[in-house]
Amino acid sequence: MTAKIFSECIARLSNHRRLQDPHDRAILLLDSCTAHRATENKDPLNKIPRTSALYFTSNLTNYVQPLDCGIIATLKSQVTKRLIAHSSELNAEASLGEAFAIVADVWQSMGPAIIKGAFRRALAI
């Protein structure tokens, strides 16, 4: 993540129709990545009205971010299983293109239950 990419994401988010409603509010949960911090008095979060940012301290990131609480681990586990199976079937290592295809396929097959479960664990819901 770079500050430029983060600013572009915030710009896209600021145009989201749900954030145009004056009754809606949002909170962004951000880790301590330097790209998320305002620099030189330029705060990309100022582009989104009625939005607050909550910055996690660096020692909390692994406990509260849903990606770190199960989504990435599940993805890695499934990709590893598929790559081993693929290599065993062909008796050769997967090419880079085949590996990317496997990652994409595993990501598409991950159901909402995995993602919801990770958010529940992260937010203790």
Side-chain angles (χ1 to χ4, degrees), residues 4-118:
K4 181 181 178 187
I5 293 171
F6 181 65
S7 292
E8 290 169 358
C9 290
I10 293 298
R12 283 193 306 247
L13 183 62
S14 68
N15 292 326
H16 194 279
R17 66 177 176 78
R18 287 288 307 261
L19 293 175
Q20 303 303 318
D21 186 332
H23 302 296
D24 286 340
R25 297 181 51 93
I27 186 165
L28 295 175
L29 304 174
L30 302 168
D31 64 10
S32 58
C33 173
T34 55
H36 298 159
R37 301 289 180 169
T39 57
E40 300 173 11
N41 297 324
K42 296 178 183 174
D43 188 355
L45 296 175
N46 287 338
K47 296 178 182 177
I48 308 176
R50 299 169 314 284
T51 300
S52 302
L54 173 64
Y55 292 94
F56 297 123
T57 59
S58 57
N59 60 341
L60 288 179
T61 301
N62 292 338
Y63 298 104
V64 297
Q65 284 192 340
L67 285 175
D68 291 333
C69 291
I71 298 170
I72 291 174
T74 302
L75 179 72
K76 286 170 67 174
S77 170
Q78 295 299 316
V79 167
T80 300
K81 287 178 187 176
R82 293 273 301 272
L83 284 172
I84 290 170
H86 180 82
S87 297
S88 296
E89 289 173 9
L90 299 178
N91 204 16
E93 290 185 6
S95 70
L96 188 58
E98 292 168 329
F100 280 129
I102 289 171
V103 170
D105 185 51
V106 169
W107 180 254
Q108 291 296 321
S109 69
M110 288 179 63
I114 292 169
I115 296 168
K116 286 179 183 177

